[in-house]
Amino acid sequence: MRIDIITVVPELLESPFNHSILKRAKERNLLQIHIHHLRDFAINKYGQVDDTQYGGGAGMVLMCEPLGDAIKKLKSERVYDDIIYLTPDGQTFHQRTANTLSLKENLMLICGHYKGIDQRIRDLYVTREISIGDYVLSGGELAAAIVVDSVARLIPGVLNDETSALTDSHQDNLLAPPVYSRPAEYEGLKVPDVLLSGNFKLIDEWRQDQALKRTEERRPDLLA
Ligand code: 6GU
């Protein structure tokens, strides 16, 4: 999978993709990430990429030409399955969205800033608009990092144990059950006996039961 990200703050995206699972995905050539600085497409020598909004009101808008030029250049180089705009007024991101996106070949992510991007860029080029939740971030970059992380780990071959993504929280609308590692007793708290029993049928049942209990307690909305 190839992911192109257009941003006015490329520094924000320097680290998130260079560690742990995403680093491995890139090393195995299962994932390529290319960051594009919108300022390289500025309309003048001052690096201008934003302007005040028509009709008045506070806040700047990322203007048409730089963003349009950046998108057109990338589109001339390959076919994109989705051109995604990260925005608090987009569709809320869910595990099922991550599952869908993990099957794509080429994705383009556009990070908004200030008041967002000119509506005509959305009308002309954007095929999907994503919000990561009902709160406001300063820009789309951290949201883009979250989307990329959740999608990349689902690409076949990225996780060592292929079944491991299937047992994540949210993968079947259930939260994950509790997990334990050594020692068998810590500060007086014991690992549940069933996990030490070696009876994998019982262990499976216990985990299912715990996942259901947790979901009922913490996120009953997932069961509705
Ligand atoms: Cl995608 N962008 C911004 N700026 N704020 C957000 C968001 C995205 N999702 C939730 N809040």
Side-chain angles (χ1 to χ4, degrees):
M1 177 184 294
R2 174 181 169 123
I3 302 178
D4 291 274
I5 308 178
I6 302 173
T7 169
V8 284
V9 200
E11 297 83 0
L12 275 175
L13 293 168
E14 265 165 22
S15 169
F17 311 128
N18 294 328
H19 307 279
S20 184
I21 289 171
L22 272 81
K23 179 182 178 192
R24 206 172 63 210
K26 292 206 290 186
E27 285 169 356
R28 289 185 184 165
N29 241 332
L30 299 167
L31 174 69
Q32 291 141 345
I33 297 174
H34 296 265
I35 314 281
H36 307 275
H37 197 343
L38 188 60
R39 292 227 190 269
D40 295 342
F41 297 86
I43 57 162
N44 55 32
K45 63 180 180 188
Y46 308 109
Q48 188 182 352
V49 293
D50 57 357
D51 208 340
T52 54
Q53 47 177 319
Y54 277 118
M60 303 293 272
V61 175
L62 290 182
M63 55 205 301
C64 285
E65 286 96 337
L67 194 47
D69 287 354
I71 295 168
K72 277 187 270 190
K73 174 169 184 288
L74 288 171
K75 273 175 64 112
S76 75
E77 293 165 352
R78 68 197 58 76
V79 175
Y80 286 90
D81 299 296
D82 255 327
I83 298 181
I84 300 168
Y85 174 41
L86 285 314
T87 175
D89 60 5
Q91 294 257 304
T92 309
F93 190 63
H94 287 289
Q95 188 63 37
R96 62 175 176 274
T97 328
N99 291 346
T100 302
L101 294 178
S102 73
L103 303 173
K104 310 283 188 188
E105 207 60 49
N106 294 307
L107 297 177
M108 192 191 304
L109 269 52
I110 300 166
C111 303
H113 249 268
Y114 320 115
K115 282 288 157 194
I117 68 176
D118 191 295
Q119 180 60 41
R120 289 165 292 181
I121 295 294
R122 298 168 75 159
D123 296 341
L124 280 169
Y125 299 116
V126 170
T127 58
R128 193 188 283 269
E129 302 192 323
I130 290 177
S131 160
I132 61 161
D134 292 341
Y135 42 82
V136 176
L137 305 169
S138 309
E141 286 76 12
L142 297 181
I146 282 166
V147 169
V148 169
D149 186 297
S150 66
V151 169
R153 59 199 303 289
L154 298 172
I155 299 170
V158 167
L159 294 184
N160 273 334
D161 179 357
E162 289 242 12
T163 63
S164 133
L166 299 176
T167 55
D168 284 344
S169 279
H170 296 296
Q171 208 44 276
D172 47 11
N173 269 337
L174 287 179
L175 301 181
V179 293
Y180 297 87
S181 182
R182 271 180 282 274
E185 182 172 342
Y186 176 70
E187 308 253 350
L189 297 180
K190 287 185 175 163
V191 174
D193 285 337
V194 58
L195 295 179
L196 309 175
S197 70
N199 184 332
F200 292 105
K201 185 168 171 288
L202 274 185
I203 291 172
D204 242 27
E205 283 168 11
W206 180 86
R207 285 180 171 153
Q208 277 288 331
D209 187 54
Q210 290 289 313
L212 196 59
K213 275 208 183 98
R214 260 199 177 176
T215 312
E216 277 165 351
E217 278 167 23
R218 300 173 182 202
R219 292 293 305 278
D221 57 297
L222 293 177
L223 299 169

